[in-house]
Amino acid sequence: MCSDNEKSGGFIQGDKFAGLSIAGRTNEIYQFELDGQTAIVRQTWQQITASQAVLDLAFNLSEPLRFRVDVLIPSDCKNACATLNNQLLIGWFAKDAPDGFPEILLSSCQDQGEKESTLHPGQFQSINFRWFNQDKLRFYLIW
């Protein structure tokens, strides 16, 4: 299991980048202003078993707002995937989903053909969306 327990990350804004960088295994609340709007993102880390964890990001927005979210996938992860509002967003990077994990809903286009994942251990996964109030981004992480 990784040892990065300290808070690491937060809101970053520059000429070409505005968004959240998430790299720690903590519970945090990020509040920031972007394009005249207030955004609140609640980060919740839950260790399910010694080898399984869930990272949740819950969005509280008064209006839809586009920004980037970068999440560091721990370097010692054996598998991971991401869901948005309980539907698969980014598939497992190892060949098969682990046993004992809840079934994740697939869209009709995800249920066809070969699946590839953009998740890589030790690298940030960038997701740049127009987020809506009550959106929930979840990462399942396996060691």
Side-chain angles (χ1 to χ4, degrees), residues 30-34 37-41 60-62 65 67:
Y30 303 100
Q31 183 171 337
F32 53 91
E33 299 287 325
L34 185 62
Q37 302 295 319
T38 299
I40 300 171
V41 179
N60 186 346
L61 310 168
S62 56
L65 188 60
F67 58 92

Side-chain angles (χ1 to χ4, degrees), residues 4 6-10 21-25 30 43 70-72 124:
D4 358 321
E6 68 279 352
K7 178 179 177 180
S8 181
S21 174
I22 309 291
R25 295 179 181 185
Y30 303 100
Q43 171 184 321
D70 289 350
V71 175
L72 180 62
F124 279 92

Side-chain angles (χ1 to χ4, degrees), residues 63-129:
E63 293 183 20
L65 188 60
R66 177 176 287 281
F67 58 92
R68 196 165 111 185
V69 175
D70 289 350
V71 175
L72 180 62
I73 305 303
S75 59
D76 57 350
C77 261
K78 301 269 187 258
N79 207 349
C81 77
T83 63
L84 179 60
N85 301 328
N86 297 316
Q87 288 198 339
L88 187 65
L89 178 65
I90 305 169
W92 298 98
F93 64 77
K95 184 174 176 163
D96 296 312
D99 292 333
F101 247 78
E103 189 170 333
I104 298 171
L105 298 175
L106 300 177
S107 71
S108 57
C109 63
Q110 291 167 323
D111 205 17
Q112 302 171 12
E114 282 293 312
K115 296 172 181 70
E116 295 217 10
S117 178
T118 56
L119 298 172
H120 300 285
Q123 295 182 14
F124 279 92
Q125 173 64 54
S126 293
I127 302 171
N128 189 344
F129 277 164

